[in-house]
Amino acid sequence: MWATTWESEANEYLAPFLGLPQLPVVSWPDPSEEPEPFTNHPARIHQAGGVRQYGQERYRPQQTGRLAGTSSLMTRAGRRSGQENGMDAALSLILLALFLWGLCSRRVAKAELTGPVVFVLLGLVMHEGIGSVDLAPSPKTVKVLAEITLTWVLFTDAARLSVRSVRADLRLYVRLLAVGLPLCIGLGALLAGALLPGVSGWAALFVGAALAPTDAALGASMMGNPVVPERIRRAINVESGLNDGIATPFVVLSLAGIAALEAGGGHEGHGGALVELLIGVAYGGALGLVAGQLLNWALHRGWATEDFAPAAVLALALLSYTSAIAFGGNGFVAAFVSGLAFGAADAQGAPQWQLAFAEQSASVLSLLVWLLFGAVLLPEAFHHLSWHLVLYAVVSLTLVRMVPVALALLGGGLDRSTVLFVGWFGPRGLASVVFGLLAVEELDPAAAREVVPVVVCTVLLSVVAHGTSSAPLARRYGTRHADAAAQPERGHGQGELPVRGLAKSAGHGV
């Protein structure tokens, strides 16, 4: 059977060319008879069939100027619809933006314009359309991009840590991650249920968990400023590298709980999700440890070349995700635990040169995620903007973050200004955006409208607030702690950990 825009002409031209018999034909509806396109709300993806639905143009060939046989095939293949040309133009603009960012990222960073800011603005512009340039990603494209990006980020953030790099301040990191992060998730969920209409239970837990992870890259000018003591920058960086992986199980459980309620189920949804998390932990740990030891053995024996080892690590990160799903586990948790185990296979952690390719790939995809944030999530959030969302966004960046940090650091030997500094520099960034995109894909439109706009509003406010305050607060805090910044840190012989890749501070080289 032919199901193509060639319709009956497929039997006339394609069948002889491919050596096929005459086959039945499925007729395409006339474009003028198609219904009006849906609105471009991402919350309607399940009805519209896409993140941004357009009436797909059906190519209907002209009946004149046709040569016979192969010439007609080549002529038809060379023609392109207006929609295809628009998508080509959108892709060209994105690639041009990536190239230009590569050319001038250091210069632009001096003006406090980070990659997220630039690509969010580009996404907003492409949402409105520039001539024939119009961004219309399919749901599958959005989901695959979000999943791959989060997988690489979770794996590389975990793999670049080592026992030696965190040993000196292990108690500080445990306080932030084992005490501060759960308190942040819990307080965020409680206030979401109290301040946001229609949000309670699993939906409130999703909001609290999705907005708990931090992204040190959004405060890159502070992270690369040597006037801030290395110990403090390292603490913020380590926390940022691990809290997204720790928060992921809570996000997964909450999404499963919401989906189960939508389907009218009981505890089966989140019960099954809990089993998937346990399988992901066990499988990811085993895979990462074995793979790390095998790679080190192969390098030492001369079986593997250093040129291809980074690509192997890139594949391993994705393998941990896909194979965990095949075994009934959670891919994100498996990727995070696999990264931890892979780094632990070497006493000094995974070398930076092994992770460079995966980190750079994740950086490029993260810029595309920020572009989708501006093109898909942000316009939808504007449609549902209310004082409740703004109030919660402000509370999330201040009270929900700073109070748990202050409680976690009680008795830790840090002065008040340092506690406030660490509490403020908890920008909501890439992980929260990816969690929002996953919620759009996994939940029904009504459920997504309850939780996604508040995540988007909080991230946008964080990008602006932390981006503008990063440099001046770093200078102010650094002048008060100049002695600590100048004093060498004990136990940090490996130097500073790299900040997650997409935004480096110009002039400081971190």
Side-chain angles (χ1 to χ4, degrees):
M1 177 178 293
W2 294 107
T4 170
T5 54
W6 287 72
E7 296 184 339
S8 61
E9 293 177 340
N11 281 322
E12 182 179 355
Y13 296 103
L14 294 182
F17 183 79
L18 298 175
L20 297 175
Q22 298 293 305
L23 299 173
V25 176
V26 176
S27 298
W28 289 107
D30 189 86
S32 61
E33 299 176 356
E34 293 185 0
E36 291 295 322
F38 290 91
T39 62
N40 53 359
H41 292 179
R44 297 189 178 182
I45 58 172
H46 295 283
Q47 297 101 321
V51 173
R52 194 172 180 188
Q53 176 72 14
Y54 295 88
Q56 293 185 353
E57 299 180 10
R58 308 300 184 188
Y59 174 68
R60 305 182 68 86
Q62 299 296 324
Q63 301 299 319
T64 60
R66 182 186 297 113
L67 300 177
T70 307
S71 298
S72 176
L73 177 65
M74 295 176 64
T75 301
R76 191 181 301 269
R79 299 174 182 171
R80 299 181 63 81
S81 67
Q83 184 184 16
E84 289 173 329
N85 289 332
M87 290 303 295
D88 285 344
L91 179 59
S92 298
L93 181 59
I94 294 172
L95 295 175
L96 176 62
L98 288 171
F99 178 73
L100 292 178
W101 178 251
L103 290 180
C104 58
S105 55
R106 181 179 292 272
R107 175 68 64 178
V108 172
K110 293 182 178 180
E112 299 301 325
L113 285 177
T114 60
V117 173
V118 173
F119 279 80
V120 167
L121 292 176
L122 177 62
L124 277 173
V125 171
M126 295 185 70
H127 168 79
E128 299 299 330
I130 310 175
S132 63
V133 178
D134 216 347
L135 187 63
S138 68
K140 184 176 181 180
T141 300
V142 173
K143 185 176 182 180
V144 170
L145 178 63
E147 289 174 346
I148 293 177
T149 303
L150 185 58
T151 297
W152 280 341
V153 166
L154 291 174
F155 184 91
T156 55
D157 280 355
R160 60 192 170 94
L161 295 179
S162 66
V163 175
R164 178 179 298 183
S165 66
V166 301
R167 182 183 300 160
D169 274 323
L170 183 60
R171 291 184 179 179
L172 175 60
Y173 306 144
V174 170
R175 285 171 175 267
L176 289 173
L177 295 170
V179 179
L181 181 60
L183 288 176
C184 183
I185 294 175
L187 182 59
L190 288 175
L191 291 179
L195 298 177
L196 301 176
V199 174
S200 61
W202 292 112
L205 177 60
F206 171 81
V207 173
L211 291 174
T214 59
D215 190 348
L218 295 183
S221 59
M222 180 277 296
M223 294 300 298
N225 196 332
V227 302
V228 179
E230 179 186 336
R231 182 191 182 199
I232 303 305
R233 284 181 286 149
R234 178 179 290 270
I236 295 174
N237 196 15
V238 170
E239 180 194 17
S240 171
L242 295 179
N243 57 15
D244 45 6
I246 298 173
T248 297
F250 295 95
V251 173
V252 171
L253 285 174
S254 59
L255 287 177
I258 296 172
L261 291 177
E262 292 174 350
H267 299 282
E268 295 180 0
H270 55 269
L274 182 59
V275 174
E276 292 180 359
L277 293 175
L278 295 176
I279 295 175
V281 170
Y283 176 77
L287 177 63
L289 186 61
V290 171
Q293 291 176 343
L294 282 176
L295 182 59
N296 292 333
W297 179 86
L299 288 170
H300 292 156
R301 292 294 185 93
W303 283 30
T305 63
E306 293 187 357
D307 293 337
F308 195 76
V313 174
L314 178 76
L316 174 63
L318 289 180
L319 176 64
S320 63
Y321 174 83
T322 57
S323 58
I325 294 177
F327 283 106
N330 182 270
F332 295 127
V333 173
F336 177 70
V337 177
S338 180
L340 287 174
F342 181 81
D346 191 312
Q348 299 180 356
Q352 184 61 29
W353 65 268
Q354 289 185 9
L355 302 175
F357 189 28
E359 288 185 337
Q360 291 168 359
S361 300
S363 296
V364 173
L365 289 189
S366 66
L367 291 176
L368 298 182
V369 169
W370 283 110
L371 185 142
L372 287 180
F373 175 79
V376 176
L377 294 183
L378 200 54
E380 170 68 8
F382 286 156
H383 285 289
H384 299 281
L385 189 64
S386 66
W387 68 269
H388 300 92
L389 298 185
V390 176
L391 175 60
Y392 185 85
V394 173
V395 170
S396 178
L397 297 181
T398 54
L399 184 66
V400 172
R401 161 70 183 176
M402 300 178 77
V403 169
V405 169
L407 293 175
L409 297 181
L410 280 177
L414 301 178
D415 59 38
R416 181 183 302 176
S417 63
T418 299
V419 172
L420 291 175
F421 187 81
V422 174
W424 169 246
F425 277 105
R428 309 315 198 273
L430 181 63
S432 298
V433 173
V434 173
F435 291 149
L437 288 172
L438 292 177
V440 169
E441 297 302 319
E442 298 294 335
L443 302 179
D444 286 341
R449 281 194 294 269
E450 291 181 355
V451 296
V452 174
V454 67
V455 173
V456 175
C457 184
T458 305
V459 171
L460 179 63
L461 182 60
S462 179
V463 169
V464 175
H466 290 101
T468 56
S469 66
S470 178
L473 287 182
R475 289 192 296 267
R476 183 175 179 180
Y477 174 80
T479 55
R480 292 185 177 183
H481 298 78
D483 295 339
Q487 184 179 359
E489 300 287 344
R490 292 184 178 180
H492 297 294
Q494 291 182 305
E496 298 184 52
L497 291 170
V499 183
R500 183 181 294 165
L502 61 83
K504 310 293 187 190
S505 178
H508 299 302
V510 174

